[in-house]
Amino acid sequence: MTCEELIAHLSSYIDHEMDAALVAEVQEHIAHCRNCRVVLDTTRRLIVLVHDEGQRVIPADQRSALFERLHQAFLKRPQASNESAV
Amino acid sequence: MPGPTIELTIYENEEALLAGLRRRDPDSCACLIKRFAPLVYAQAIRLLGDADEAEGILQQTFIKACDKLDTYEGRSGLGSWLYRIATNEALMHLRQRSPHVNLADVAETIQEDEMPHRLTSWTFDPAAAALNSELRMVLEQALATLPEALRVVFVLRDIQGLSTEETAAALGLGESAVKVRLHRARLRLRELLSAYMQEH
């Protein structure tokens, strides 16, 4: 397996979407190729790093107006049952 | 006018919060928004790459959630439910914004300039690095530079954690297209982040 072929198969290898024969070829290649080992390792680290990367603060100038609009929409939403409107 | 100060623990758990929402308790709405808006906003901005459009999606998500509250069965948790509504709203917005170009018209092979060039190891511990706000900013900037077609697949697969099949269904793509786009997005982001890692 060449470096180009390894790079082409990198995500399939990381995601375990590769047949056993090809996995063996990848492992043999990275055992001897420092550059491909680095690319594999750093790509894996990227995936760990971004997974469920979390929340984001809403800019302060947008927050209040947005909150008010959503609050009004909530209070005015139509009734689903036969309760009287609020 | 600032939003009201609401103690987020006013409801013991999601069940109590949901009951409050169904009673139209005004505190419950404030609590829902304060607790989940940052999560929804993050997803919208990652998918759309634009703060103004993300704000619109944030609004639509909560309004749609209000409309659907009475039929929400509570199986997936409020956060997951809102996250899913936000994703659907953002994807619909993307399709309306660029129905023929960005989501569909993209090369399905690795481009020459996407081959790895930066071959330096990263020394950070990903678990600790996830808390690093500077790195998070670099990551968000890198994500914003990706073409929409690659970014959307990366967000759904590697950030949100959907399967290839679920991502393909959400985007109306074949699974092989999802795989190639994910791979191209990873290679590009790895390259961009490696530049930052080399300097730190």
Side-chain angles (χ1 to χ4, degrees), chain B residues 118-137:
Chain B
R118 294 181 189 271
L119 301 167
T120 311
S121 298
W122 298 359
T123 52
F124 73 93
D125 167 11
L131 304 172
N132 178 332
S133 58
E134 185 184 329
L135 181 56
R136 179 167 290 181
M137 199 176 74

Side-chain angles (χ1 to χ4, degrees), chain A residues 18-45:
Chain A
M18 186 179 263
D19 65 53
L22 217 46
V23 167
E25 281 191 53
V26 169
Q27 287 173 342
E28 191 188 336
H29 181 97
I30 56 176
H32 299 100
C33 179
R34 183 254 171 207
N35 286 350
C36 285
R37 217 161 42 237
V38 168
V39 175
L40 173 63
D41 178 63
T42 50
T43 306
R44 279 185 167 144
R45 283 172 185 250

Side-chain angles (χ1 to χ4, degrees), chain A residues 11-81:
Chain A
S11 281
S12 303
Y13 179 72
I14 290 171
D15 295 333
H16 307 290
E17 293 172 341
M18 186 179 263
D19 65 53
L22 217 46
V23 167
E25 281 191 53
V26 169
Q27 287 173 342
E28 191 188 336
H29 181 97
I30 56 176
H32 299 100
C33 179
R34 183 254 171 207
N35 286 350
C36 285
R37 217 161 42 237
V38 168
V39 175
L40 173 63
D41 178 63
T42 50
T43 306
R44 279 185 167 144
R45 283 172 185 250
L46 166 74
I47 296 164
V48 173
L49 183 67
V50 300
H51 184 64
D52 198 9
E53 188 241 353
Q55 308 191 348
R56 176 138 170 167
V57 174
I58 300 163
D61 57 344
Q62 296 174 9
R63 209 177 307 149
S64 300
L66 185 64
F67 183 91
E68 190 53 35
R69 279 198 296 275
L70 291 173
H71 205 228
Q72 288 306 318
F74 171 77
L75 292 174
K76 288 177 184 165
R77 77 186 201 272
Q79 298 286 325
S81 61

Side-chain angles (χ1 to χ4, degrees), chain B residues 8 13 16 23 43 70 82 103 143 150 155 171 181 193:
Chain B
L8 292 182
N13 50 40
R23 285 196 307 271
Q43 176 72 345
D70 296 304
L82 289 166
L103 281 178
L143 200 53
L150 303 188
V155 169
L171 299 176
R181 291 178 194 196
L193 254 70

